[in-house]
PDB file of all heavy atoms in Angstrom:
ATOM      1  N   VAL A   1       0.835  -1.200   0.000  1.00  0.00           N
ATOM      2  CA  VAL A   1       0.000   0.000   0.000  1.00  0.00           C
ATOM      3  C   VAL A   1       0.874   1.257   0.000  1.00  0.00           C
ATOM      4  O   VAL A   1       0.642   2.201  -0.767  1.00  0.00           O
ATOM      5  CB  VAL A   1      -0.950   0.000   1.216  1.00  0.00           C
ATOM      6  CG1 VAL A   1      -1.588   1.371   1.406  1.00  0.00           C
ATOM      7  CG2 VAL A   1      -2.041  -1.045   1.036  1.00  0.00           C
ATOM      8  N   LYS A   2       1.889   1.274   0.855  1.00  0.00           N
ATOM      9  CA  LYS A   2       2.747   2.453   0.948  1.00  0.00           C
ATOM     10  C   LYS A   2       3.576   2.651  -0.315  1.00  0.00           C
ATOM     11  O   LYS A   2       3.957   3.776  -0.645  1.00  0.00           O
ATOM     12  CB  LYS A   2       3.657   2.322   2.173  1.00  0.00           C
ATOM     13  CG  LYS A   2       2.891   2.403   3.493  1.00  0.00           C
ATOM     14  CD  LYS A   2       3.791   2.146   4.685  1.00  0.00           C
ATOM     15  CE  LYS A   2       2.994   2.165   5.985  1.00  0.00           C
ATOM     16  NZ  LYS A   2       3.839   1.849   7.162  1.00  0.00           N
ATOM     17  N   LYS A   3       3.856   1.565  -1.027  1.00  0.00           N
ATOM     18  CA  LYS A   3       4.630   1.672  -2.267  1.00  0.00           C
ATOM     19  C   LYS A   3       3.783   2.191  -3.420  1.00  0.00           C
ATOM     20  O   LYS A   3       4.220   3.064  -4.185  1.00  0.00           O
ATOM     21  CB  LYS A   3       5.216   0.316  -2.622  1.00  0.00           C
ATOM     22  CG  LYS A   3       5.993   0.292  -3.936  1.00  0.00           C
ATOM     23  CD  LYS A   3       6.495  -1.098  -4.267  1.00  0.00           C
ATOM     24  CE  LYS A   3       7.206  -1.119  -5.619  1.00  0.00           C
ATOM     25  NZ  LYS A   3       7.674  -2.479  -5.979  1.00  0.00           N
ATOM     26  N   SER A   4       2.558   1.654  -3.562  1.00  0.00           N
ATOM     27  CA  SER A   4       1.733   1.968  -4.730  1.00  0.00           C
ATOM     28  C   SER A   4       0.725   3.082  -4.494  1.00  0.00           C
ATOM     29  O   SER A   4       0.297   3.736  -5.445  1.00  0.00           O
ATOM     30  CB  SER A   4       0.999   0.705  -5.195  1.00  0.00           C
ATOM     31  OG  SER A   4       1.892  -0.343  -5.467  1.00  0.00           O
ATOM     32  N   PHE A   5       0.305   3.291  -3.241  1.00  0.00           N
ATOM     33  CA  PHE A   5      -0.733   4.285  -2.949  1.00  0.00           C
ATOM     34  C   PHE A   5      -0.328   5.155  -1.758  1.00  0.00           C
ATOM     35  O   PHE A   5      -1.148   5.444  -0.888  1.00  0.00           O
ATOM     36  CB  PHE A   5      -2.065   3.580  -2.652  1.00  0.00           C
ATOM     37  CG  PHE A   5      -2.588   2.729  -3.767  1.00  0.00           C
ATOM     38  CD1 PHE A   5      -2.344   1.362  -3.790  1.00  0.00           C
ATOM     39  CD2 PHE A   5      -3.312   3.289  -4.802  1.00  0.00           C
ATOM     40  CE1 PHE A   5      -2.826   0.570  -4.819  1.00  0.00           C
ATOM     41  CE2 PHE A   5      -3.802   2.509  -5.835  1.00  0.00           C
ATOM     42  CZ  PHE A   5      -3.547   1.144  -5.851  1.00  0.00           C
ATOM     43  N   SER A   6       0.921   5.571  -1.729  1.00  0.00           N
ATOM     44  CA  SER A   6       1.425   6.298  -0.555  1.00  0.00           C
ATOM     45  C   SER A   6       0.683   7.613  -0.328  1.00  0.00           C
ATOM     46  O   SER A   6       0.319   7.947   0.801  1.00  0.00           O
ATOM     47  CB  SER A   6       2.928   6.556  -0.704  1.00  0.00           C
ATOM     48  OG  SER A   6       3.199   7.276  -1.896  1.00  0.00           O
ATOM     49  N   ALA A   7       0.439   8.370  -1.396  1.00  0.00           N
ATOM     50  CA  ALA A   7      -0.237   9.664  -1.242  1.00  0.00           C
ATOM     51  C   ALA A   7      -1.682   9.474  -0.786  1.00  0.00           C
ATOM     52  O   ALA A   7      -2.162  10.174   0.118  1.00  0.00           O
ATOM     53  CB  ALA A   7      -0.194  10.434  -2.557  1.00  0.00           C
ATOM     54  N   LEU A   8      -2.382   8.529  -1.386  1.00  0.00           N
ATOM     55  CA  LEU A   8      -3.762   8.252  -0.995  1.00  0.00           C
ATOM     56  C   LEU A   8      -3.816   7.747   0.441  1.00  0.00           C
ATOM     57  O   LEU A   8      -4.701   8.141   1.218  1.00  0.00           O
ATOM     58  CB  LEU A   8      -4.368   7.211  -1.945  1.00  0.00           C
ATOM     59  CG  LEU A   8      -5.764   6.694  -1.609  1.00  0.00           C
ATOM     60  CD1 LEU A   8      -6.766   7.846  -1.532  1.00  0.00           C
ATOM     61  CD2 LEU A   8      -6.217   5.661  -2.638  1.00  0.00           C
ATOM     62  N   TYR A   9      -2.899   6.893   0.796  1.00  0.00           N
ATOM     63  CA  TYR A   9      -2.837   6.362   2.164  1.00  0.00           C
ATOM     64  C   TYR A   9      -2.661   7.494   3.173  1.00  0.00           C
ATOM     65  O   TYR A   9      -3.334   7.528   4.208  1.00  0.00           O
ATOM     66  CB  TYR A   9      -1.681   5.367   2.250  1.00  0.00           C
ATOM     67  CG  TYR A   9      -1.470   4.722   3.595  1.00  0.00           C
ATOM     68  CD1 TYR A   9      -2.401   3.832   4.122  1.00  0.00           C
ATOM     69  CD2 TYR A   9      -0.323   4.994   4.333  1.00  0.00           C
ATOM     70  CE1 TYR A   9      -2.197   3.227   5.358  1.00  0.00           C
ATOM     71  CE2 TYR A   9      -0.112   4.387   5.566  1.00  0.00           C
ATOM     72  CZ  TYR A   9      -1.042   3.509   6.069  1.00  0.00           C
ATOM     73  OH  TYR A   9      -0.843   2.913   7.300  1.00  0.00           O
ATOM     74  N   ALA A  10      -1.792   8.450   2.864  1.00  0.00           N
ATOM     75  CA  ALA A  10      -1.559   9.577   3.770  1.00  0.00           C
ATOM     76  C   ALA A  10      -2.808  10.450   3.894  1.00  0.00           C
ATOM     77  O   ALA A  10      -3.133  10.925   4.989  1.00  0.00           O
ATOM     78  CB  ALA A  10      -0.377  10.403   3.272  1.00  0.00           C
ATOM     79  N   ARG A  11      -3.503  10.651   2.787  1.00  0.00           N
ATOM     80  CA  ARG A  11      -4.722  11.473   2.846  1.00  0.00           C
ATOM     81  C   ARG A  11      -5.804  10.797   3.684  1.00  0.00           C
ATOM     82  O   ARG A  11      -6.524  11.466   4.438  1.00  0.00           O
ATOM     83  CB  ARG A  11      -5.245  11.747   1.430  1.00  0.00           C
ATOM     84  CG  ARG A  11      -4.359  12.680   0.615  1.00  0.00           C
ATOM     85  CD  ARG A  11      -5.112  13.291  -0.559  1.00  0.00           C
ATOM     86  NE  ARG A  11      -5.649  12.291  -1.464  1.00  0.00           N
ATOM     87  CZ  ARG A  11      -4.978  11.751  -2.469  1.00  0.00           C
ATOM     88  NH1 ARG A  11      -3.712  12.095  -2.670  1.00  0.00           N
ATOM     89  NH2 ARG A  11      -5.542  10.863  -3.269  1.00  0.00           N
ATOM     90  N   LEU A  12      -5.941   9.497   3.550  1.00  0.00           N
ATOM     91  CA  LEU A  12      -6.942   8.786   4.350  1.00  0.00           C
ATOM     92  C   LEU A  12      -6.609   8.844   5.837  1.00  0.00           C
ATOM     93  O   LEU A  12      -7.502   8.980   6.678  1.00  0.00           O
ATOM     94  CB  LEU A  12      -7.043   7.332   3.887  1.00  0.00           C
ATOM     95  CG  LEU A  12      -7.656   7.110   2.500  1.00  0.00           C
ATOM     96  CD1 LEU A  12      -7.545   5.645   2.098  1.00  0.00           C
ATOM     97  CD2 LEU A  12      -9.128   7.544   2.469  1.00  0.00           C
ATOM     98  N   LEU A  13      -5.335   8.772   6.166  1.00  0.00           N
ATOM     99  CA  LEU A  13      -4.926   8.854   7.568  1.00  0.00           C
ATOM    100  C   LEU A  13      -5.156  10.243   8.153  1.00  0.00           C
ATOM    101  O   LEU A  13      -5.177  10.407   9.375  1.00  0.00           O
ATOM    102  CB  LEU A  13      -3.452   8.484   7.711  1.00  0.00           C
ATOM    103  CG  LEU A  13      -3.090   7.008   7.515  1.00  0.00           C
ATOM    104  CD1 LEU A  13      -1.595   6.802   7.677  1.00  0.00           C
ATOM    105  CD2 LEU A  13      -3.852   6.122   8.508  1.00  0.00           C
ATOM    106  N   SER A  14      -5.321  11.262   7.289  1.00  0.00           N
ATOM    107  CA  SER A  14      -5.578  12.611   7.790  1.00  0.00           C
ATOM    108  C   SER A  14      -6.985  12.763   8.346  1.00  0.00           C
ATOM    109  O   SER A  14      -7.277  13.740   9.035  1.00  0.00           O
ATOM    110  CB  SER A  14      -5.341  13.632   6.674  1.00  0.00           C
ATOM    111  OG  SER A  14      -6.352  13.542   5.668  1.00  0.00           O
ATOM    112  N   ILE A  15      -7.874  11.802   8.052  1.00  0.00           N
ATOM    113  CA  ILE A  15      -9.243  11.843   8.570  1.00  0.00           C
ATOM    114  C   ILE A  15      -9.223  11.422  10.030  1.00  0.00           C
ATOM    115  O   ILE A  15      -8.757  10.324  10.350  1.00  0.00           O
ATOM    116  CB  ILE A  15     -10.171  10.919   7.769  1.00  0.00           C
ATOM    117  CG1 ILE A  15     -10.164  11.293   6.294  1.00  0.00           C
ATOM    118  CG2 ILE A  15     -11.587  10.960   8.324  1.00  0.00           C
ATOM    119  CD1 ILE A  15     -10.931  10.320   5.412  1.00  0.00           C
ATOM    120  N   PRO A  16      -9.708  12.252  10.950  1.00  0.00           N
ATOM    121  CA  PRO A  16      -9.726  11.873  12.360  1.00  0.00           C
ATOM    122  C   PRO A  16     -10.503  10.576  12.594  1.00  0.00           C
ATOM    123  O   PRO A  16     -11.615  10.415  12.095  1.00  0.00           O
ATOM    124  CB  PRO A  16     -10.426  13.056  13.030  1.00  0.00           C
ATOM    125  CG  PRO A  16     -10.200  14.206  12.111  1.00  0.00           C
ATOM    126  CD  PRO A  16     -10.212  13.625  10.732  1.00  0.00           C
ATOM    127  N   SER A  17      -9.884   9.653  13.321  1.00  0.00           N
ATOM    128  CA  SER A  17     -10.412   8.334  13.716  1.00  0.00           C
ATOM    129  C   SER A  17     -10.152   7.244  12.683  1.00  0.00           C
ATOM    130  O   SER A  17     -10.401   6.071  12.955  1.00  0.00           O
ATOM    131  CB  SER A  17     -11.919   8.372  14.040  1.00  0.00           C
ATOM    132  OG  SER A  17     -12.705   8.306  12.869  1.00  0.00           O
ATOM    133  N   VAL A  18      -9.659   7.570  11.500  1.00  0.00           N
ATOM    134  CA  VAL A  18      -9.301   6.558  10.499  1.00  0.00           C
ATOM    135  C   VAL A  18      -7.839   6.174  10.703  1.00  0.00           C
ATOM    136  O   VAL A  18      -6.945   7.005  10.556  1.00  0.00           O
ATOM    137  CB  VAL A  18      -9.521   7.072   9.066  1.00  0.00           C
ATOM    138  CG1 VAL A  18      -8.970   6.079   8.044  1.00  0.00           C
ATOM    139  CG2 VAL A  18     -11.008   7.299   8.817  1.00  0.00           C
ATOM    140  N   GLY A  19      -7.607   4.910  11.067  1.00  0.00           N
ATOM    141  CA  GLY A  19      -6.269   4.438  11.349  1.00  0.00           C
ATOM    142  C   GLY A  19      -5.666   3.686  10.183  1.00  0.00           C
ATOM    143  O   GLY A  19      -6.295   3.524   9.120  1.00  0.00           O
ATOM    144  N   PRO A  20      -4.432   3.182  10.346  1.00  0.00           N
ATOM    145  CA  PRO A  20      -3.740   2.480   9.254  1.00  0.00           C
ATOM    146  C   PRO A  20      -4.504   1.283   8.713  1.00  0.00           C
ATOM    147  O   PRO A  20      -4.563   1.077   7.494  1.00  0.00           O
ATOM    148  CB  PRO A  20      -2.419   2.049   9.906  1.00  0.00           C
ATOM    149  CG  PRO A  20      -2.206   3.020  11.020  1.00  0.00           C
ATOM    150  CD  PRO A  20      -3.569   3.349  11.523  1.00  0.00           C
ATOM    151  N   ARG A  21      -5.090   0.478   9.579  1.00  0.00           N
ATOM    152  CA  ARG A  21      -5.789  -0.727   9.115  1.00  0.00           C
ATOM    153  C   ARG A  21      -6.998  -0.366   8.268  1.00  0.00           C
ATOM    154  O   ARG A  21      -7.226  -0.956   7.206  1.00  0.00           O
ATOM    155  CB  ARG A  21      -6.213  -1.570  10.314  1.00  0.00           C
ATOM    156  CG  ARG A  21      -6.798  -2.913   9.946  1.00  0.00           C
ATOM    157  CD  ARG A  21      -7.151  -3.697  11.182  1.00  0.00           C
ATOM    158  NE  ARG A  21      -7.793  -4.960  10.859  1.00  0.00           N
ATOM    159  CZ  ARG A  21      -8.330  -5.778  11.759  1.00  0.00           C
ATOM    160  NH1 ARG A  21      -8.276  -5.465  13.049  1.00  0.00           N
ATOM    161  NH2 ARG A  21      -8.904  -6.900  11.388  1.00  0.00           N
ATOM    162  N   THR A  22      -7.778   0.612   8.722  1.00  0.00           N
ATOM    163  CA  THR A  22      -8.961   1.029   7.966  1.00  0.00           C
ATOM    164  C   THR A  22      -8.563   1.672   6.641  1.00  0.00           C
ATOM    165  O   THR A  22      -9.200   1.432   5.607  1.00  0.00           O
ATOM    166  CB  THR A  22      -9.798   2.017   8.795  1.00  0.00           C
ATOM    167  OG1 THR A  22     -10.156   1.409  10.042  1.00  0.00           O
ATOM    168  CG2 THR A  22     -11.063   2.409   8.054  1.00  0.00           C
ATOM    169  N   ALA A  23      -7.513   2.486   6.655  1.00  0.00           N
ATOM    170  CA  ALA A  23      -7.050   3.136   5.424  1.00  0.00           C
ATOM    171  C   ALA A  23      -6.602   2.097   4.400  1.00  0.00           C
ATOM    172  O   ALA A  23      -6.947   2.188   3.212  1.00  0.00           O
ATOM    173  CB  ALA A  23      -5.915   4.095   5.742  1.00  0.00           C
ATOM    174  N   MET A  24      -5.852   1.093   4.844  1.00  0.00           N
ATOM    175  CA  MET A  24      -5.403   0.040   3.927  1.00  0.00           C
ATOM    176  C   MET A  24      -6.580  -0.743   3.377  1.00  0.00           C
ATOM    177  O   MET A  24      -6.636  -1.053   2.184  1.00  0.00           O
ATOM    178  CB  MET A  24      -4.424  -0.900   4.638  1.00  0.00           C
ATOM    179  CG  MET A  24      -3.037  -0.334   4.817  1.00  0.00           C
ATOM    180  SD  MET A  24      -1.825  -1.590   5.313  1.00  0.00           S
ATOM    181  CE  MET A  24      -2.456  -2.033   6.919  1.00  0.00           C
ATOM    182  N   GLU A  25      -7.534  -1.070   4.237  1.00  0.00           N
ATOM    183  CA  GLU A  25      -8.694  -1.839   3.795  1.00  0.00           C
ATOM    184  C   GLU A  25      -9.502  -1.060   2.764  1.00  0.00           C
ATOM    185  O   GLU A  25      -9.987  -1.612   1.771  1.00  0.00           O
ATOM    186  CB  GLU A  25      -9.568  -2.186   5.000  1.00  0.00           C
ATOM    187  CG  GLU A  25     -10.651  -3.205   4.729  1.00  0.00           C
ATOM    188  CD  GLU A  25     -10.140  -4.635   4.763  1.00  0.00           C
ATOM    189  OE1 GLU A  25      -9.012  -4.847   5.241  1.00  0.00           O
ATOM    190  OE2 GLU A  25     -10.871  -5.533   4.321  1.00  0.00           O
ATOM    191  N   LEU A  26      -9.662   0.248   2.968  1.00  0.00           N
ATOM    192  CA  LEU A  26     -10.379   1.083   2.011  1.00  0.00           C
ATOM    193  C   LEU A  26      -9.698   1.069   0.644  1.00  0.00           C
ATOM    194  O   LEU A  26     -10.357   0.963  -0.398  1.00  0.00           O
ATOM    195  CB  LEU A  26     -10.476   2.519   2.532  1.00  0.00           C
ATOM    196  CG  LEU A  26     -11.572   2.827   3.557  1.00  0.00           C
ATOM    197  CD1 LEU A  26     -11.332   4.175   4.207  1.00  0.00           C
ATOM    198  CD2 LEU A  26     -12.953   2.773   2.917  1.00  0.00           C
ATOM    199  N   ILE A  27      -8.388   1.172   0.648  1.00  0.00           N
ATOM    200  CA  ILE A  27      -7.641   1.180  -0.614  1.00  0.00           C
ATOM    201  C   ILE A  27      -7.781  -0.155  -1.328  1.00  0.00           C
ATOM    202  O   ILE A  27      -7.975  -0.218  -2.554  1.00  0.00           O
ATOM    203  CB  ILE A  27      -6.158   1.498  -0.345  1.00  0.00           C
ATOM    204  CG1 ILE A  27      -6.015   2.956   0.102  1.00  0.00           C
ATOM    205  CG2 ILE A  27      -5.312   1.248  -1.594  1.00  0.00           C
ATOM    206  CD1 ILE A  27      -4.627   3.329   0.573  1.00  0.00           C
ATOM    207  N   ILE A  28      -7.738  -1.250  -0.574  1.00  0.00           N
ATOM    208  CA  ILE A  28      -7.781  -2.585  -1.181  1.00  0.00           C
ATOM    209  C   ILE A  28      -9.150  -2.880  -1.776  1.00  0.00           C
ATOM    210  O   ILE A  28      -9.261  -3.299  -2.927  1.00  0.00           O
ATOM    211  CB  ILE A  28      -7.389  -3.649  -0.144  1.00  0.00           C
ATOM    212  CG1 ILE A  28      -5.916  -3.492   0.258  1.00  0.00           C
ATOM    213  CG2 ILE A  28      -7.638  -5.059  -0.705  1.00  0.00           C
ATOM    214  CD1 ILE A  28      -5.521  -4.295   1.461  1.00  0.00           C
ATOM    215  N   VAL A  29     -10.215  -2.654  -1.002  1.00  0.00           N
ATOM    216  CA  VAL A  29     -11.547  -3.050  -1.476  1.00  0.00           C
ATOM    217  C   VAL A  29     -12.064  -2.132  -2.570  1.00  0.00           C
ATOM    218  O   VAL A  29     -12.953  -2.520  -3.340  1.00  0.00           O
ATOM    219  CB  VAL A  29     -12.568  -3.104  -0.313  1.00  0.00           C
ATOM    220  CG1 VAL A  29     -12.131  -4.080   0.750  1.00  0.00           C
ATOM    221  CG2 VAL A  29     -12.815  -1.732   0.294  1.00  0.00           C
ATOM    222  N   THR A  30     -11.512  -0.921  -2.677  1.00  0.00           N
ATOM    223  CA  THR A  30     -11.952  -0.001  -3.735  1.00  0.00           C
ATOM    224  C   THR A  30     -10.953   0.081  -4.880  1.00  0.00           C
ATOM    225  O   THR A  30     -11.156   0.870  -5.802  1.00  0.00           O
ATOM    226  CB  THR A  30     -12.166   1.413  -3.173  1.00  0.00           C
ATOM    227  OG1 THR A  30     -10.909   1.915  -2.686  1.00  0.00           O
ATOM    228  CG2 THR A  30     -13.190   1.415  -2.048  1.00  0.00           C
ATOM    229  N   ALA A  31      -9.883  -0.724  -4.813  1.00  0.00           N
ATOM    230  CA  ALA A  31      -8.813  -0.669  -5.820  1.00  0.00           C
ATOM    231  C   ALA A  31      -8.279   0.752  -5.952  1.00  0.00           C
ATOM    232  O   ALA A  31      -8.149   1.299  -7.050  1.00  0.00           O
ATOM    233  CB  ALA A  31      -9.301  -1.195  -7.163  1.00  0.00           C
ATOM    234  N   GLY A  32      -7.972   1.343  -4.804  1.00  0.00           N
ATOM    235  CA  GLY A  32      -7.459   2.710  -4.823  1.00  0.00           C
ATOM    236  C   GLY A  32      -8.508   3.729  -5.221  1.00  0.00           C
ATOM    237  O   GLY A  32      -8.184   4.757  -5.799  1.00  0.00           O
ATOM    238  N   PHE A  33      -9.782   3.431  -4.910  1.00  0.00           N
ATOM    239  CA  PHE A  33     -10.929   4.291  -5.240  1.00  0.00           C
ATOM    240  C   PHE A  33     -11.074   4.492  -6.747  1.00  0.00           C
ATOM    241  O   PHE A  33     -11.588   5.504  -7.206  1.00  0.00           O
ATOM    242  CB  PHE A  33     -10.823   5.648  -4.529  1.00  0.00           C
ATOM    243  CG  PHE A  33     -11.101   5.575  -3.050  1.00  0.00           C
ATOM    244  CD1 PHE A  33     -10.096   5.243  -2.159  1.00  0.00           C
ATOM    245  CD2 PHE A  33     -12.368   5.808  -2.550  1.00  0.00           C
ATOM    246  CE1 PHE A  33     -10.338   5.153  -0.807  1.00  0.00           C
ATOM    247  CE2 PHE A  33     -12.629   5.732  -1.191  1.00  0.00           C
ATOM    248  CZ  PHE A  33     -11.609   5.402  -0.315  1.00  0.00           C
ATOM    249  N   SER A  34     -10.628   3.504  -7.515  1.00  0.00           N
ATOM    250  CA  SER A  34     -10.748   3.599  -8.963  1.00  0.00           C
ATOM    251  C   SER A  34     -12.037   2.967  -9.481  1.00  0.00           C
ATOM    252  O   SER A  34     -12.369   3.118 -10.655  1.00  0.00           O
ATOM    253  CB  SER A  34      -9.548   2.902  -9.624  1.00  0.00           C
ATOM    254  OG  SER A  34      -9.532   1.518  -9.306  1.00  0.00           O
ATOM    255  N   ARG A  35     -12.755   2.261  -8.648  1.00  0.00           N
ATOM    256  CA  ARG A  35     -13.952   1.547  -9.094  1.00  0.00           C
ATOM    257  C   ARG A  35     -15.218   2.400  -9.061  1.00  0.00           C
ATOM    258  O   ARG A  35     -16.247   1.992  -9.606  1.00  0.00           O
ATOM    259  CB  ARG A  35     -14.182   0.313  -8.221  1.00  0.00           C
ATOM    260  CG  ARG A  35     -13.134  -0.762  -8.352  1.00  0.00           C
ATOM    261  CD  ARG A  35     -13.413  -1.891  -7.395  1.00  0.00           C
ATOM    262  NE  ARG A  35     -12.477  -2.994  -7.563  1.00  0.00           N
ATOM    263  CZ  ARG A  35     -12.376  -4.015  -6.733  1.00  0.00           C
ATOM    264  NH1 ARG A  35     -13.155  -4.074  -5.670  1.00  0.00           N
ATOM    265  NH2 ARG A  35     -11.506  -4.976  -6.947  1.00  0.00           N
ATOM    266  N   PHE A  36     -15.173   3.543  -8.395  1.00  0.00           N
ATOM    267  CA  PHE A  36     -16.400   4.293  -8.161  1.00  0.00           C
ATOM    268  C   PHE A  36     -16.229   5.752  -8.546  1.00  0.00           C
ATOM    269  O   PHE A  36     -15.218   6.379  -8.229  1.00  0.00           O
ATOM    270  CB  PHE A  36     -16.799   4.198  -6.681  1.00  0.00           C
ATOM    271  CG  PHE A  36     -16.959   2.793  -6.181  1.00  0.00           C
ATOM    272  CD1 PHE A  36     -15.915   2.153  -5.537  1.00  0.00           C
ATOM    273  CD2 PHE A  36     -18.140   2.098  -6.386  1.00  0.00           C
ATOM    274  CE1 PHE A  36     -16.046   0.847  -5.082  1.00  0.00           C
ATOM    275  CE2 PHE A  36     -18.274   0.799  -5.951  1.00  0.00           C
ATOM    276  CZ  PHE A  36     -17.231   0.172  -5.298  1.00  0.00           C
ATOM    277  N   THR A  37     -17.240   6.264  -9.224  1.00  0.00           N
ATOM    278  CA  THR A  37     -17.289   7.689  -9.535  1.00  0.00           C
ATOM    279  C   THR A  37     -18.379   8.389  -8.732  1.00  0.00           C
ATOM    280  O   THR A  37     -18.527   9.599  -8.810  1.00  0.00           O
ATOM    281  CB  THR A  37     -17.571   7.906 -11.035  1.00  0.00           C
ATOM    282  OG1 THR A  37     -18.809   7.242 -11.381  1.00  0.00           O
ATOM    283  CG2 THR A  37     -16.438   7.338 -11.884  1.00  0.00           C
ATOM    284  N   ASP A  38     -19.126   7.615  -7.946  1.00  0.00           N
ATOM    285  CA  ASP A  38     -20.244   8.151  -7.179  1.00  0.00           C
ATOM    286  C   ASP A  38     -20.180   7.591  -5.769  1.00  0.00           C
ATOM    287  O   ASP A  38     -20.033   6.386  -5.582  1.00  0.00           O
ATOM    288  CB  ASP A  38     -21.571   7.781  -7.845  1.00  0.00           C
ATOM    289  CG  ASP A  38     -22.756   8.319  -7.064  1.00  0.00           C
ATOM    290  OD1 ASP A  38     -22.921   9.540  -7.001  1.00  0.00           O
ATOM    291  OD2 ASP A  38     -23.502   7.504  -6.498  1.00  0.00           O
ATOM    292  N   VAL A  39     -20.311   8.460  -4.773  1.00  0.00           N
ATOM    293  CA  VAL A  39     -20.201   8.018  -3.380  1.00  0.00           C
ATOM    294  C   VAL A  39     -21.377   7.139  -2.971  1.00  0.00           C
ATOM    295  O   VAL A  39     -21.253   6.281  -2.090  1.00  0.00           O
ATOM    296  CB  VAL A  39     -20.078   9.250  -2.447  1.00  0.00           C
ATOM    297  CG1 VAL A  39     -21.388  10.035  -2.398  1.00  0.00           C
ATOM    298  CG2 VAL A  39     -19.636   8.823  -1.054  1.00  0.00           C
ATOM    299  N   LYS A  40     -22.540   7.311  -3.616  1.00  0.00           N
ATOM    300  CA  LYS A  40     -23.678   6.456  -3.299  1.00  0.00           C
ATOM    301  C   LYS A  40     -23.415   5.011  -3.714  1.00  0.00           C
ATOM    302  O   LYS A  40     -23.790   4.075  -3.004  1.00  0.00           O
ATOM    303  CB  LYS A  40     -24.947   6.992  -3.981  1.00  0.00           C
ATOM    304  CG  LYS A  40     -25.435   8.320  -3.423  1.00  0.00           C
ATOM    305  CD  LYS A  40     -26.737   8.745  -4.083  1.00  0.00           C
ATOM    306  CE  LYS A  40     -27.240  10.052  -3.487  1.00  0.00           C
ATOM    307  NZ  LYS A  40     -28.511  10.501  -4.134  1.00  0.00           N
ATOM    308  N   ALA A  41     -22.785   4.846  -4.860  1.00  0.00           N
ATOM    309  CA  ALA A  41     -22.432   3.497  -5.302  1.00  0.00           C
ATOM    310  C   ALA A  41     -21.421   2.872  -4.349  1.00  0.00           C
ATOM    311  O   ALA A  41     -21.491   1.672  -4.042  1.00  0.00           O
ATOM    312  CB  ALA A  41     -21.868   3.541  -6.716  1.00  0.00           C
ATOM    313  N   LEU A  42     -20.479   3.669  -3.855  1.00  0.00           N
ATOM    314  CA  LEU A  42     -19.497   3.166  -2.893  1.00  0.00           C
ATOM    315  C   LEU A  42     -20.194   2.745  -1.599  1.00  0.00           C
ATOM    316  O   LEU A  42     -19.876   1.697  -1.031  1.00  0.00           O
ATOM    317  CB  LEU A  42     -18.447   4.241  -2.614  1.00  0.00           C
ATOM    318  CG  LEU A  42     -17.415   3.912  -1.532  1.00  0.00           C
ATOM    319  CD1 LEU A  42     -16.645   2.647  -1.898  1.00  0.00           C
ATOM    320  CD2 LEU A  42     -16.471   5.089  -1.322  1.00  0.00           C
ATOM    321  N   GLY A  43     -21.142   3.552  -1.128  1.00  0.00           N
ATOM    322  CA  GLY A  43     -21.872   3.209   0.090  1.00  0.00           C
ATOM    323  C   GLY A  43     -22.641   1.915  -0.055  1.00  0.00           C
ATOM    324  O   GLY A  43     -22.696   1.092   0.869  1.00  0.00           O
TER     325      GLY A  43
END
């Protein structure tokens, strides 16, 4: 994650209460947020 999505990982960690495990899981299940153009679809 830190090698391929370091900038995205850092931005997710800037959200209060979002920790490393949650940030990594978000990146993995969304393929780096490349699968969704709409937040409703993500939800």
